[in-house]
Amino acid sequence: MNMYLIGLTGGMGSGKSTVADCLRSNGIPVIDADVIAHKIMNEESTFDKIHEIFGKNVFDKDGSLNKVKFSSVLFTNTVKRKKLNEFVHPKVWDEMMNETEKYVTEGSKVIFLDVPLLIESGWHTRVNETWLVKADYNERIERLRLRTNLSTEEIKKRIEIQMPESEKEEYADKIINNGGTIEETGKQVIEELQKIIEKTEKR
């Protein structure tokens, strides 16, 4: 496929959504791995795998997944989380590639993949370059506290299980600082996007 594929990543609360919205408003396709993963998580085959890995305790009596119990185990049990990711991640990647093909068919040359675990999963090696969105640690906590029902302590635990931003920076080709205003973030995105567009036009 004749395209330039860019991985967009960042830790919880870093502001990836702000960057993704800016890209979309400028006509650039952004494929959201979380949206695809959510769909796959609701498939029967995934429910069977969750039952196999996590047991019946994360399900209610009516057979539905108890998201509170499931999340509690998911974010504390590294082994079980890894097993589930090994099942779900390939499905997510395949679906992202299907969507990518559709955009290429429509004429898109630059496509972003919004993937929280882009580097952890090794998918940064499958894209042309990686953009990392970062923000101050305390600001990330405050953003997550305002938009979720999680306590500050729970938020910190979830951030801590992710790769530290300092390590992610080593893999990033571009770093978008999302610690200021939306306008300031947007300016960075547009500047970097223009460079990419100029590069792809010369290919």
Side-chain angles (χ1 to χ4, degrees):
M1 290 184 285
N2 184 23
M3 62 176 175
Y4 198 81
L5 203 58
I6 302 174
L8 177 66
T9 193
M12 293 176 64
S14 62
K16 278 193 303 81
S17 296
T18 299
V19 173
D21 288 344
C22 180
L23 290 165
R24 290 190 180 101
S25 68
N26 283 275
I28 304 299
V30 182
I31 300 171
D32 192 327
D34 276 350
V35 171
I36 295 172
H38 180 74
K39 182 180 73 172
I40 291 172
M41 286 295 292
N42 286 301
E43 293 177 354
E44 187 176 345
S45 61
T46 307
F47 268 53
D48 291 341
K49 180 58 69 171
I50 291 172
H51 194 281
E52 176 189 321
I53 297 171
F54 293 82
K56 63 181 180 182
N57 291 334
V58 297
F59 290 87
D60 289 328
K61 291 182 179 179
D62 64 357
S64 61
L65 184 66
N66 186 309
K67 293 184 179 179
V68 174
K69 291 181 180 178
F70 173 62
S71 295
S72 177
V73 179
L74 183 67
F75 286 100
T76 55
N77 193 308
T78 305
V79 174
K80 290 184 178 181
R81 185 172 64 252
K82 184 174 183 292
K83 286 182 179 179
L84 183 61
N85 285 343
E86 287 172 350
F87 176 80
V88 174
H89 283 184
K91 292 175 175 286
V92 173
W93 180 262
D94 287 346
E95 185 57 35
M96 284 197 299
M97 290 301 97
N98 289 337
E99 290 194 24
T100 297
E101 287 182 18
K102 292 176 185 176
Y103 282 120
V104 171
T105 301
E106 293 168 2
S108 297
K109 292 184 178 179
V110 179
I111 301 169
F112 279 76
L113 303 181
D114 181 347
V115 187
L117 300 179
L118 180 81
I119 296 167
E120 293 91 329
S121 63
W123 291 355
H124 63 288
T125 62
R126 304 180 183 182
V127 296
N128 294 102
E129 65 177 64
T130 295
W131 283 24
L132 172 66
V133 183
K134 59 177 294 186
D136 178 75
Y137 178 75
N138 290 325
E139 188 170 354
R140 291 169 61 194
I141 292 174
E142 182 62 15
R143 289 173 182 171
L144 292 166
R145 191 184 64 78
L146 292 173
R147 80 175 193 222
T148 69
N149 294 319
L150 299 172
S151 67
T152 300
E153 212 50 48
E154 288 173 314
I155 291 169
K156 287 181 178 179
K157 286 180 181 177
R158 294 195 179 189
I159 289 177
E160 285 168 6
I161 67 173
Q162 294 185 328
M163 180 186 289
E165 277 191 343
S166 58
E167 288 186 34
K168 289 186 178 183
E169 286 182 29
E170 297 176 17
Y171 298 90
D173 298 289
K174 300 287 187 302
I175 296 177
I176 304 295
N177 189 331
N178 192 35
T181 64
I182 292 177
E183 289 74 22
E184 289 170 336
T185 299
K187 184 180 178 182
Q188 294 176 69
V189 172
I190 297 303
E191 287 177 354
E192 295 299 341
L193 183 59
Q194 188 59 42
K195 294 176 186 176
I196 296 300
I197 291 173
E198 290 174 0
K199 182 190 296 186
T200 55
E201 287 177 348
K202 294 176 182 177
R203 294 176 76 188

